[in-house]
Amino acid sequence: MFKCDDLVQLRSELDEIDKKLFILFIKRYKLCKQIGEVKKSLNIPIYQPQIYNDKLNRIIEKAQVENIPKDVIEKLYNTIHEICVDAQSIG
């Protein structure tokens, strides 16, 4: 049987994870901006489908081990990727 304390504890853990995710996302976003600058200086296209597909497939494989549905991972990674491609374009 669950207690209210259980919910409080779970939400507290979730808050900690959200803080860490946000910190990592900020780092990722800044790196993507730097990558965009390098790509621009080297005349490399921002979007590189092969790299994107390779990364997505590796992430999907890891997620499936944890029983996370493929469509959930695709949706999450597509969103992150779109934001970071935009960041690279801004430079």
Side-chain angles (χ1 to χ4, degrees):
M1 189 89 187
F2 291 110
K3 301 175 281 192
C4 282
D5 288 348
D6 296 329
L7 186 56
V8 170
Q9 176 61 36
L10 291 170
R11 285 182 174 160
S12 176
E13 288 180 42
L14 194 58
D15 286 345
E16 281 303 308
I17 291 169
D18 287 345
K19 287 178 193 174
K20 291 175 184 176
L21 280 171
F22 190 67
I23 289 167
L24 288 172
F25 180 78
I26 290 169
K27 287 181 181 181
R28 188 182 204 287
Y29 186 85
K30 288 178 179 180
L31 281 171
C32 287
K33 288 183 75 143
Q34 291 175 347
I35 289 169
E37 292 170 8
V38 172
K39 286 180 178 178
K40 185 176 181 179
S41 73
L42 297 174
N43 242 0
I44 296 172
I46 296 295
Y47 177 60
Q48 297 177 291
Q50 186 61 44
I51 292 173
Y52 168 79
N53 289 328
D54 290 346
K55 275 189 174 184
L56 178 59
N57 289 330
R58 283 194 309 269
I59 293 167
I60 288 171
E61 285 177 20
K62 289 178 183 178
Q64 286 177 333
V65 170
E66 299 296 330
N67 294 320
I68 299 173
K70 179 180 176 181
D71 62 317
V72 171
I73 296 305
E74 287 175 336
K75 186 186 297 185
L76 175 62
Y77 191 69
N78 285 337
T79 300
I80 292 169
H81 183 260
E82 285 177 26
I83 291 167
C84 290
V85 164
D86 289 347
Q88 288 183 30
S89 300
I90 293 168

Coordinates of all heavy atoms in Angstrom, one line a residue:
M1 N 0.8 -1.2 0.0 CA 0.0 0.0 0.0 C 0.9 1.2 0.0 O 1.8 1.3 0.8 CB -0.9 0.0 1.3 CG -1.9 1.0 1.3 SD -3.3 0.2 0.5 CE -4.5 1.4 0.3
F2 N 0.6 2.2 -0.8 CA 1.3 3.4 -0.9 C 0.9 4.4 0.1 O -0.3 4.4 0.5 CB 1.2 4.1 -2.3 CG 1.9 3.3 -3.4 CD1 1.1 2.6 -4.3 CD2 3.2 3.2 -3.5 CE1 1.7 1.9 -5.3 CE2 3.9 2.5 -4.5 CZ 3.1 1.8 -5.4
K3 N 1.8 5.3 0.5 CA 1.5 6.4 1.4 C 1.8 7.7 0.7 O 2.5 7.8 -0.3 CB 2.3 6.3 2.7 CG 2.1 5.0 3.5 CD 3.1 4.9 4.6 CE 4.4 4.5 4.0 NZ 5.5 4.1 4.8
C4 N 1.3 8.8 1.3 CA 1.5 10.1 0.7 C 3.0 10.4 0.7 O 3.6 11.1 -0.2 CB 0.8 11.2 1.5 SG -0.9 11.3 1.0
D5 N 3.7 9.9 1.7 CA 5.2 10.1 1.8 C 5.9 9.5 0.6 O 6.9 10.0 0.1 CB 5.7 9.5 3.1 CG 5.4 10.2 4.3 OD1 4.9 11.4 4.2 OD2 5.6 9.7 5.4
D6 N 5.3 8.4 0.1 CA 5.9 7.8 -1.1 C 5.9 8.7 -2.3 O 6.9 8.9 -3.0 CB 5.2 6.5 -1.5 CG 5.3 5.4 -0.4 OD1 6.3 5.4 0.3 OD2 4.3 4.6 -0.3
L7 N 4.7 9.4 -2.5 CA 4.6 10.3 -3.6 C 5.5 11.5 -3.4 O 6.2 12.0 -4.4 CB 3.1 10.8 -3.7 CG 2.8 11.7 -4.8 CD1 3.1 11.0 -6.2 CD2 1.3 12.0 -4.8
V8 N 5.6 12.0 -2.2 CA 6.5 13.1 -1.9 C 8.0 12.7 -2.2 O 8.7 13.5 -2.9 CB 6.4 13.6 -0.4 CG1 7.5 14.6 -0.1 CG2 5.0 14.2 -0.2
Q9 N 8.4 11.5 -1.8 CA 9.7 11.0 -2.1 C 10.0 10.9 -3.6 O 11.0 11.3 -4.1 CB 10.0 9.7 -1.4 CG 11.3 9.1 -1.7 CD 12.5 10.0 -1.3 OE1 12.5 10.7 -0.3 NE2 13.6 10.0 -2.1
L10 N 9.0 10.3 -4.3 CA 9.2 10.1 -5.7 C 9.3 11.5 -6.5 O 10.1 11.6 -7.4 CB 8.0 9.3 -6.3 CG 8.0 7.8 -5.9 CD1 6.7 7.2 -6.3 CD2 9.2 7.1 -6.4
R11 N 8.5 12.4 -6.1 CA 8.5 13.7 -6.7 C 9.8 14.4 -6.4 O 10.4 15.1 -7.2 CB 7.3 14.6 -6.2 CG 6.1 14.2 -6.9 CD 4.9 15.0 -6.5 NE 3.7 14.7 -7.2 CZ 2.5 15.0 -6.8 NH1 2.3 15.6 -5.7 NH2 1.4 14.6 -7.6
S12 N 10.4 14.2 -5.2 CA 11.7 14.8 -4.9 C 12.8 14.2 -5.7 O 13.6 14.9 -6.2 CB 11.9 14.5 -3.4 OG 13.2 15.0 -3.0
E13 N 12.7 12.9 -6.0 CA 13.7 12.3 -6.8 C 13.6 12.8 -8.3 O 14.6 13.1 -9.0 CB 13.5 10.8 -6.8 CG 14.0 10.1 -5.5 CD 13.8 8.6 -5.5 OE1 14.1 8.0 -6.6 OE2 13.3 8.1 -4.5
L14 N 12.3 13.0 -8.7 CA 12.1 13.5 -10.0 C 12.6 14.9 -10.2 O 13.2 15.3 -11.2 CB 10.6 13.5 -10.3 CG 10.1 13.7 -11.8 CD1 10.8 12.6 -12.7 CD2 8.6 13.6 -11.8
D15 N 12.5 15.7 -9.2 CA 13.0 17.1 -9.2 C 14.5 17.1 -9.4 O 15.1 17.9 -10.1 CB 12.6 17.9 -7.9 CG 11.2 18.3 -7.9 OD1 10.5 18.2 -8.9 OD2 10.7 18.6 -6.8
E16 N 15.2 16.2 -8.7 CA 16.6 16.1 -8.8 C 17.1 15.7 -10.2 O 18.0 16.2 -10.7 CB 17.2 15.1 -7.7 CG 17.3 15.6 -6.3 CD 18.2 16.9 -6.3 OE1 19.3 16.9 -6.8 OE2 17.7 17.9 -5.7
I17 N 16.4 14.7 -10.7 CA 16.7 14.3 -12.1 C 16.4 15.4 -13.1 O 17.2 15.7 -14.0 CB 15.8 13.1 -12.5 CG1 16.3 11.8 -11.7 CG2 15.9 12.8 -14.0 CD1 15.4 10.6 -11.8
D18 N 15.3 16.2 -12.9 CA 15.0 17.3 -13.8 C 16.1 18.4 -13.7 O 16.5 18.9 -14.8 CB 13.7 17.9 -13.4 CG 12.5 17.1 -13.9 OD1 12.7 16.2 -14.7 OD2 11.4 17.4 -13.4
K19 N 16.7 18.6 -12.5 CA 17.8 19.6 -12.4 C 19.0 19.1 -13.2 O 19.6 19.9 -13.9 CB 18.1 19.8 -10.9 CG 17.1 20.6 -10.1 CD 17.6 20.6 -8.7 CE 16.5 21.1 -7.8 NZ 16.8 21.1 -6.4
K20 N 19.3 17.8 -13.0 CA 20.5 17.3 -13.7 C 20.3 17.3 -15.2 O 21.2 17.6 -16.0 CB 20.8 15.9 -13.2 CG 21.3 15.8 -11.8 CD 21.4 14.4 -11.3 CE 21.8 14.4 -9.8 NZ 21.9 13.1 -9.3
L21 N 19.1 16.9 -15.7 CA 18.8 16.9 -17.1 C 18.9 18.3 -17.7 O 19.5 18.5 -18.8 CB 17.3 16.4 -17.4 CG 17.1 14.9 -17.4 CD1 15.6 14.6 -17.4 CD2 17.8 14.3 -18.5
F22 N 18.4 19.3 -17.0 CA 18.5 20.7 -17.5 C 19.9 21.1 -17.6 O 20.3 21.8 -18.6 CB 17.7 21.6 -16.6 CG 17.5 23.0 -17.1 CD1 16.7 23.2 -18.3 CD2 18.1 24.1 -16.5 CE1 16.6 24.5 -18.8 CE2 18.0 25.3 -17.1 CZ 17.2 25.5 -18.2
I23 N 20.7 20.8 -16.6 CA 22.2 21.2 -16.6 C 22.8 20.5 -17.8 O 23.6 21.2 -18.5 CB 22.8 20.8 -15.3 CG1 22.4 21.7 -14.2 CG2 24.4 20.8 -15.4 CD1 22.7 21.3 -12.8
L24 N 22.6 19.3 -18.0 CA 23.1 18.5 -19.2 C 22.6 19.1 -20.5 O 23.4 19.2 -21.5 CB 22.9 17.0 -19.1 CG 23.6 16.3 -18.0 CD1 23.1 14.9 -17.9 CD2 25.1 16.3 -18.2
F25 N 21.4 19.5 -20.5 CA 20.8 20.0 -21.8 C 21.5 21.3 -22.1 O 21.8 21.6 -23.3 CB 19.3 20.2 -21.7 CG 18.8 20.7 -23.0 CD1 18.6 19.9 -24.1 CD2 18.5 22.1 -23.1 CE1 18.2 20.4 -25.3 CE2 18.0 22.6 -24.3 CZ 17.9 21.8 -25.4
I26 N 21.7 22.2 -21.1 CA 22.4 23.4 -21.4 C 23.8 23.2 -21.9 O 24.2 23.8 -22.9 CB 22.5 24.3 -20.1 CG1 21.0 24.8 -19.7 CG2 23.4 25.5 -20.2 CD1 20.9 25.4 -18.3
K27 N 24.5 22.2 -21.3 CA 25.9 21.9 -21.8 C 25.8 21.4 -23.3 O 26.6 21.8 -24.1 CB 26.5 20.8 -20.9 CG 26.9 21.3 -19.6 CD 27.6 20.2 -18.8 CE 28.0 20.7 -17.4 NZ 28.6 19.7 -16.6
R28 N 24.8 20.6 -23.6 CA 24.6 20.0 -24.9 C 24.3 21.1 -25.9 O 24.9 21.2 -27.0 CB 23.5 19.0 -24.9 CG 23.4 18.2 -26.2 CD 22.3 17.2 -26.2 NE 22.4 16.2 -27.2 CZ 22.3 16.3 -28.5 NH1 22.1 17.4 -29.0 NH2 22.5 15.2 -29.2
Y29 N 23.5 22.0 -25.5 CA 23.1 23.1 -26.4 C 24.3 24.0 -26.7 O 24.5 24.4 -27.9 CB 22.0 24.0 -25.7 CG 21.4 25.1 -26.6 CD1 20.4 24.8 -27.5 CD2 21.9 26.4 -26.5 CE1 19.9 25.8 -28.3 CE2 21.4 27.4 -27.3 CZ 20.4 27.1 -28.2 OH 19.8 28.1 -29.0
K30 N 25.1 24.3 -25.7 CA 26.3 25.2 -25.9 C 27.3 24.4 -26.8 O 27.9 25.1 -27.7 CB 26.9 25.5 -24.6 CG 26.1 26.6 -23.8 CD 26.7 26.9 -22.5 CE 25.9 27.9 -21.7 NZ 26.6 28.2 -20.4
L31 N 27.5 23.1 -26.6 CA 28.4 22.4 -27.5 C 27.9 22.4 -28.9 O 28.7 22.5 -29.9 CB 28.5 20.9 -27.0 CG 29.4 20.7 -25.8 CD1 29.3 19.3 -25.3 CD2 30.8 21.0 -26.2
C32 N 26.6 22.3 -29.1 CA 26.0 22.3 -30.4 C 26.2 23.6 -31.1 O 26.5 23.6 -32.3 CB 24.5 21.9 -30.4 SG 24.2 20.2 -30.1
K33 N 26.2 24.7 -30.4 CA 26.5 26.0 -31.0 C 27.9 26.0 -31.4 O 28.2 26.5 -32.5 CB 26.2 27.1 -30.0 CG 24.7 27.3 -29.8 CD 24.4 28.5 -28.8 CE 24.7 29.8 -29.6 NZ 23.9 30.9 -29.3
Q34 N 28.8 25.5 -30.6 CA 30.2 25.5 -31.0 C 30.5 24.6 -32.2 O 31.2 24.9 -33.1 CB 31.1 25.0 -29.8 CG 31.1 25.9 -28.7 CD 31.9 25.3 -27.5 OE1 32.2 24.2 -27.4 NE2 32.2 26.2 -26.5
I35 N 29.8 23.4 -32.2 CA 29.9 22.5 -33.4 C 29.4 23.2 -34.6 O 30.0 23.1 -35.7 CB 29.1 21.2 -33.1 CG1 29.8 20.4 -32.1 CG2 28.9 20.4 -34.4 CD1 29.0 19.2 -31.6
G36 N 28.3 24.0 -34.5 CA 27.8 24.8 -35.7 C 28.8 25.7 -36.2 O 29.0 25.9 -37.4
E37 N 29.6 26.4 -35.3 CA 30.6 27.3 -35.7 C 31.7 26.6 -36.5 O 32.2 27.1 -37.5 CB 31.2 28.1 -34.5 CG 30.2 29.0 -33.9 CD 30.6 29.6 -32.6 OE1 31.8 29.4 -32.2 OE2 29.8 30.3 -31.9
V38 N 32.1 25.4 -36.0 CA 33.2 24.7 -36.6 C 32.7 24.2 -38.0 O 33.4 24.3 -39.0 CB 33.6 23.5 -35.8 CG1 34.5 22.5 -36.5 CG2 34.2 23.9 -34.5
K39 N 31.5 23.7 -38.1 CA 30.9 23.2 -39.3 C 30.9 24.3 -40.3 O 31.2 24.1 -41.5 CB 29.5 22.6 -39.1 CG 29.5 21.2 -38.5 CD 28.1 20.7 -38.3 CE 28.0 19.4 -37.7 NZ 26.6 19.0 -37.6
K40 N 30.4 25.5 -39.9 CA 30.4 26.6 -40.8 C 31.7 27.0 -41.4 O 31.9 27.2 -42.6 CB 29.7 27.8 -40.1 CG 29.5 29.0 -41.0 CD 28.8 30.1 -40.2 CE 28.5 31.3 -41.1 NZ 27.9 32.4 -40.4
S41 N 32.7 27.0 -40.5 CA 34.1 27.4 -40.9 C 34.7 26.3 -41.9 O 35.5 26.6 -42.7 CB 35.0 27.6 -39.7 OG 35.3 26.4 -39.1
L42 N 34.2 25.1 -41.7 CA 34.7 24.0 -42.6 C 33.8 23.7 -43.7 O 34.1 22.7 -44.5 CB 34.9 22.7 -41.7 CG 36.0 22.8 -40.6 CD1 35.9 21.5 -39.7 CD2 37.3 23.0 -41.1
N43 N 32.8 24.4 -43.9 CA 31.8 24.2 -44.9 C 31.1 22.9 -44.9 O 31.0 22.2 -45.9 CB 32.4 24.5 -46.3 CG 31.8 25.6 -47.0 OD1 30.9 26.2 -46.5 ND2 32.3 25.9 -48.2
I44 N 30.8 22.4 -43.7 CA 30.2 21.1 -43.5 C 28.7 21.4 -43.3 O 28.3 22.3 -42.5 CB 30.8 20.4 -42.3 CG1 32.2 20.0 -42.6 CG2 30.0 19.1 -42.0 CD1 33.0 19.5 -41.4
P45 N 27.8 20.6 -43.9 CA 26.3 20.8 -43.6 C 26.0 20.6 -42.2 O 26.5 19.8 -41.5 CB 25.6 19.8 -44.5 CG 26.7 19.0 -45.2 CD 28.0 19.5 -44.8
I46 N 25.0 21.4 -41.7 CA 24.6 21.3 -40.3 C 24.0 20.0 -40.1 O 24.3 19.3 -39.1 CB 23.6 22.4 -40.0 CG1 24.2 23.8 -40.1 CG2 23.0 22.2 -38.6 CD1 25.3 24.1 -39.1
Y47 N 23.0 19.6 -40.9 CA 22.3 18.3 -40.7 C 23.1 17.2 -41.5 O 23.3 17.3 -42.7 CB 20.9 18.4 -41.2 CG 20.1 17.1 -41.1 CD1 20.0 16.4 -39.9 CD2 19.6 16.5 -42.2 CE1 19.3 15.2 -39.8 CE2 18.9 15.3 -42.2 CZ 18.8 14.7 -40.9 OH 18.1 13.5 -40.9
Q48 N 23.5 16.2 -40.7 CA 24.2 15.0 -41.3 C 23.4 13.8 -40.9 O 23.5 13.2 -39.8 CB 25.6 15.0 -40.8 CG 26.4 16.2 -41.2 CD 27.8 16.2 -40.6 OE1 27.9 16.4 -39.4 NE2 28.7 16.1 -41.5
P49 N 22.5 13.3 -41.9 CA 21.6 12.2 -41.6 C 22.2 11.0 -41.1 O 21.7 10.3 -40.2 CB 20.9 12.0 -42.9 CG 21.2 13.2 -43.8 CD 22.4 13.8 -43.2
Q50 N 23.4 10.6 -41.6 CA 24.0 9.4 -41.2 C 24.4 9.4 -39.7 O 24.2 8.4 -39.0 CB 25.2 9.1 -42.0 CG 25.9 7.7 -41.8 CD 24.9 6.6 -42.0 OE1 24.2 6.5 -43.0 NE2 24.8 5.6 -41.1
I51 N 25.0 10.5 -39.3 CA 25.3 10.7 -37.9 C 24.1 10.6 -37.0 O 24.1 9.9 -36.0 CB 26.2 12.0 -37.6 CG1 27.5 11.8 -38.3 CG2 26.3 12.2 -36.1 CD1 28.3 13.1 -38.4
Y52 N 23.1 11.4 -37.4 CA 21.8 11.4 -36.7 C 21.2 10.0 -36.5 O 20.9 9.5 -35.4 CB 20.8 12.3 -37.4 CG 19.4 12.2 -36.8 CD1 19.0 12.8 -35.6 CD2 18.5 11.4 -37.5 CE1 17.8 12.6 -35.1 CE2 17.2 11.2 -37.0 CZ 16.8 11.9 -35.8 OH 15.6 11.7 -35.3
N53 N 21.1 9.2 -37.7 CA 20.6 7.9 -37.6 C 21.4 6.9 -36.8 O 20.8 6.1 -36.1 CB 20.4 7.4 -39.1 CG 19.3 8.1 -39.8 OD1 18.3 8.5 -39.3 ND2 19.5 8.2 -41.1
D54 N 22.7 7.0 -36.9 CA 23.5 6.1 -36.0 C 23.3 6.4 -34.6 O 23.1 5.4 -33.8 CB 25.0 6.4 -36.4 CG 25.4 5.8 -37.7 OD1 24.6 5.1 -38.4 OD2 26.5 6.2 -38.2
K55 N 23.3 7.7 -34.2 CA 23.0 8.0 -32.8 C 21.7 7.5 -32.3 O 21.5 6.9 -31.2 CB 23.1 9.5 -32.5 CG 24.5 10.0 -32.3 CD 24.4 11.5 -31.9 CE 25.8 12.0 -31.5 NZ 25.8 13.3 -31.0
L56 N 20.7 7.8 -33.1 CA 19.3 7.4 -32.8 C 19.2 5.9 -32.6 O 18.6 5.4 -31.6 CB 18.3 7.9 -33.8 CG 16.8 7.5 -33.6 CD1 16.3 8.1 -32.2 CD2 16.0 8.0 -34.7
N57 N 19.8 5.2 -33.5 CA 19.7 3.7 -33.4 C 20.4 3.2 -32.1 O 19.9 2.3 -31.5 CB 20.3 3.1 -34.6 CG 19.4 3.2 -35.8 OD1 18.2 3.3 -35.7 ND2 20.0 3.3 -37.0
R58 N 21.6 3.8 -31.8 CA 22.2 3.4 -30.5 C 21.4 3.7 -29.3 O 21.3 2.8 -28.4 CB 23.6 4.1 -30.4 CG 24.7 3.5 -31.3 CD 26.1 4.0 -30.9 NE 26.2 5.5 -30.8 CZ 26.5 6.3 -31.8 NH1 26.8 5.8 -33.0 NH2 26.6 7.6 -31.6
I59 N 20.7 4.8 -29.3 CA 19.9 5.2 -28.2 C 18.7 4.3 -28.1 O 18.3 3.8 -27.0 CB 19.4 6.7 -28.3 CG1 20.7 7.6 -28.1 CG2 18.4 7.0 -27.3 CD1 20.4 9.0 -28.5
I60 N 18.1 4.0 -29.2 CA 16.9 3.1 -29.2 C 17.3 1.7 -28.7 O 16.6 1.1 -27.9 CB 16.3 3.0 -30.7 CG1 15.6 4.3 -31.0 CG2 15.4 1.8 -30.8 CD1 15.2 4.3 -32.5
E61 N 18.5 1.2 -29.1 CA 18.9 -0.1 -28.6 C 19.1 -0.1 -27.1 O 18.6 -1.1 -26.4 CB 20.3 -0.5 -29.2 CG 20.2 -0.9 -30.6 CD 21.5 -1.2 -31.3 OE1 22.5 -1.5 -30.5 OE2 21.6 -1.2 -32.5
K62 N 19.7 0.9 -26.5 CA 19.8 1.0 -25.1 C 18.5 1.1 -24.4 O 18.2 0.5 -23.3 CB 20.7 2.2 -24.7 CG 22.1 2.0 -25.1 CD 23.0 3.2 -24.7 CE 24.4 3.0 -25.2 NZ 25.2 4.2 -24.9
A63 N 17.6 1.9 -25.0 CA 16.3 2.1 -24.4 C 15.4 0.8 -24.4 O 14.7 0.5 -23.4 CB 15.5 3.2 -25.1
Q64 N 15.6 0.0 -25.4 CA 14.8 -1.2 -25.5 C 15.2 -2.2 -24.4 O 14.4 -2.9 -23.9 CB 14.9 -1.8 -26.9 CG 14.1 -1.0 -27.9 CD 14.3 -1.6 -29.3 OE1 15.3 -2.1 -29.7 NE2 13.3 -1.3 -30.2
V65 N 16.5 -2.1 -24.0 CA 16.9 -3.0 -22.9 C 16.2 -2.6 -21.6 O 15.9 -3.5 -20.8 CB 18.5 -2.8 -22.7 CG1 18.9 -3.5 -21.4 CG2 19.2 -3.4 -23.9
E66 N 15.8 -1.3 -21.5 CA 15.1 -0.9 -20.3 C 13.6 -0.8 -20.5 O 12.8 -0.3 -19.8 CB 15.6 0.6 -20.0 CG 17.0 0.7 -19.6 CD 17.4 -0.1 -18.4 OE1 16.6 -0.2 -17.5 OE2 18.6 -0.6 -18.3
N67 N 13.1 -1.5 -21.6 CA 11.7 -1.6 -22.0 C 11.0 -0.2 -22.2 O 9.9 0.0 -21.8 CB 10.9 -2.4 -20.9 CG 11.4 -3.8 -20.9 OD1 11.6 -4.4 -21.9 ND2 11.5 -4.4 -19.7
I68 N 11.8 0.7 -22.7 CA 11.2 2.0 -23.1 C 10.8 2.0 -24.5 O 11.6 1.6 -25.4 CB 12.2 3.2 -22.8 CG1 12.6 3.2 -21.3 CG2 11.6 4.5 -23.3 CD1 13.7 4.2 -21.0
P69 N 9.6 2.3 -24.8 CA 9.1 2.1 -26.2 C 9.9 3.0 -27.2 O 10.3 4.1 -26.9 CB 7.6 2.6 -26.2 CG 7.2 2.5 -24.7 CD 8.5 2.7 -23.9
K70 N 10.1 2.4 -28.4 CA 10.9 3.0 -29.4 C 10.3 4.4 -29.8 O 11.1 5.4 -30.0 CB 10.9 2.1 -30.7 CG 11.7 2.7 -31.8 CD 11.6 1.7 -33.0 CE 12.3 2.3 -34.2 NZ 12.3 1.4 -35.4
D71 N 9.0 4.5 -29.9 CA 8.4 5.8 -30.3 C 8.6 6.9 -29.3 O 8.7 8.1 -29.6 CB 6.9 5.6 -30.6 CG 6.1 5.2 -29.4 OD1 6.5 4.3 -28.7 OD2 5.0 5.7 -29.2
V72 N 8.7 6.5 -28.0 CA 9.0 7.5 -27.0 C 10.4 8.1 -27.2 O 10.7 9.3 -27.1 CB 8.9 6.9 -25.6 CG1 9.4 7.8 -24.5 CG2 7.4 6.5 -25.3
I73 N 11.4 7.2 -27.4 CA 12.8 7.6 -27.6 C 12.9 8.4 -28.9 O 13.6 9.5 -28.9 CB 13.7 6.4 -27.7 CG1 13.7 5.7 -26.3 CG2 15.1 6.8 -28.1 CD1 14.0 6.5 -25.2
E74 N 12.2 8.0 -30.0 CA 12.3 8.8 -31.2 C 11.7 10.2 -31.0 O 12.3 11.1 -31.5 CB 11.5 8.0 -32.3 CG 12.2 6.8 -32.8 CD 11.4 6.0 -33.8 OE1 10.2 6.1 -33.8 OE2 12.0 5.3 -34.6
K75 N 10.6 10.3 -30.3 CA 10.0 11.6 -30.1 C 11.0 12.5 -29.3 O 11.2 13.7 -29.6 CB 8.7 11.5 -29.4 CG 7.9 12.8 -29.2 CD 6.7 12.6 -28.4 CE 5.7 11.7 -29.0 NZ 4.4 11.6 -28.2
L76 N 11.5 11.9 -28.2 CA 12.4 12.7 -27.4 C 13.7 13.1 -28.1 O 14.1 14.3 -28.2 CB 12.8 11.9 -26.1 CG 13.9 12.5 -25.2 CD1 13.4 13.8 -24.6 CD2 14.3 11.6 -24.1
Y77 N 14.3 12.2 -28.8 CA 15.6 12.5 -29.5 C 15.3 13.4 -30.7 O 16.1 14.3 -30.9 CB 16.3 11.2 -29.9 CG 17.7 11.5 -30.4 CD1 18.7 12.0 -29.5 CD2 18.1 11.5 -31.8 CE1 19.9 12.3 -29.9 CE2 19.3 11.8 -32.2 CZ 20.3 12.2 -31.2 OH 21.5 12.6 -31.7
N78 N 14.2 13.3 -31.4 CA 13.9 14.2 -32.5 C 13.8 15.6 -32.0 O 14.3 16.5 -32.6 CB 12.6 13.7 -33.2 CG 12.8 12.5 -34.1 OD1 13.9 12.3 -34.5 ND2 11.7 11.8 -34.4
T79 N 13.1 15.8 -30.9 CA 12.9 17.1 -30.3 C 14.3 17.7 -29.9 O 14.6 18.8 -30.2 CB 12.0 17.1 -29.1 OG1 10.7 16.5 -29.5 CG2 11.8 18.4 -28.4
I80 N 15.1 16.9 -29.2 CA 16.4 17.4 -28.8 C 17.2 17.7 -30.0 O 17.9 18.8 -30.1 CB 17.1 16.3 -27.9 CG1 16.5 16.2 -26.6 CG2 18.6 16.7 -27.8 CD1 16.9 15.0 -25.8
H81 N 17.2 16.9 -31.0 CA 18.0 17.1 -32.2 C 17.5 18.3 -33.0 O 18.4 19.1 -33.4 CB 17.9 15.9 -33.1 CG 18.7 15.9 -34.4 ND1 18.1 16.3 -35.6 CD2 20.0 15.8 -34.6 CE1 19.1 16.3 -36.5 NE2 20.2 16.0 -35.9
E82 N 16.3 18.6 -33.1 CA 15.8 19.8 -33.8 C 16.2 21.0 -33.1 O 16.7 22.0 -33.7 CB 14.2 19.7 -33.8 CG 13.7 18.8 -34.9 CD 12.1 18.8 -34.8 OE1 11.5 19.8 -34.4 OE2 11.6 17.7 -35.2
I83 N 16.1 21.0 -31.8 CA 16.6 22.2 -31.0 C 18.1 22.4 -31.2 O 18.5 23.6 -31.4 CB 16.3 22.0 -29.5 CG1 14.8 22.1 -29.3 CG2 17.0 23.1 -28.7 CD1 14.3 21.6 -27.9
C84 N 18.9 21.4 -31.2 CA 20.3 21.5 -31.4 C 20.7 21.9 -32.8 O 21.7 22.6 -33.0 CB 21.0 20.3 -30.8 SG 20.8 20.2 -29.0
V85 N 20.0 21.4 -33.8 CA 20.2 21.8 -35.2 C 20.0 23.3 -35.3 O 20.8 24.0 -35.9 CB 19.4 21.0 -36.2 CG1 19.4 21.6 -37.6 CG2 19.9 19.6 -36.3
D86 N 18.9 23.8 -34.7 CA 18.6 25.2 -34.7 C 19.8 26.0 -34.0 O 20.2 27.0 -34.5 CB 17.3 25.5 -34.0 CG 16.1 25.1 -34.8 OD1 16.2 24.7 -36.0 OD2 15.0 25.0 -34.2
A87 N 20.3 25.4 -32.9 CA 21.4 26.1 -32.2 C 22.6 26.2 -33.1 O 23.3 27.2 -33.1 CB 21.7 25.3 -30.9
Q88 N 22.9 25.1 -33.9 CA 24.0 25.1 -34.8 C 23.8 26.1 -35.9 O 24.8 26.8 -36.4 CB 24.2 23.7 -35.4 CG 24.8 22.7 -34.4 CD 25.0 21.4 -35.1 OE1 25.4 21.3 -36.3 NE2 24.9 20.3 -34.3
S89 N 22.6 26.3 -36.4 CA 22.3 27.2 -37.4 C 22.5 28.7 -37.0 O 22.9 29.5 -37.7 CB 20.9 27.0 -37.9 OG 20.7 25.7 -38.4
I90 N 22.2 28.9 -35.7 CA 22.4 30.3 -35.1 C 23.8 30.6 -35.0 O 24.2 31.7 -35.4 CB 21.7 30.4 -33.7 CG1 20.2 30.2 -33.9 CG2 22.0 31.7 -33.1 CD1 19.5 30.0 -32.5
G91 N 24.6 29.6 -34.6 CA 26.1 29.8 -34.5 C 26.4 30.9 -33.5 O 27.1 31.4 -33.0

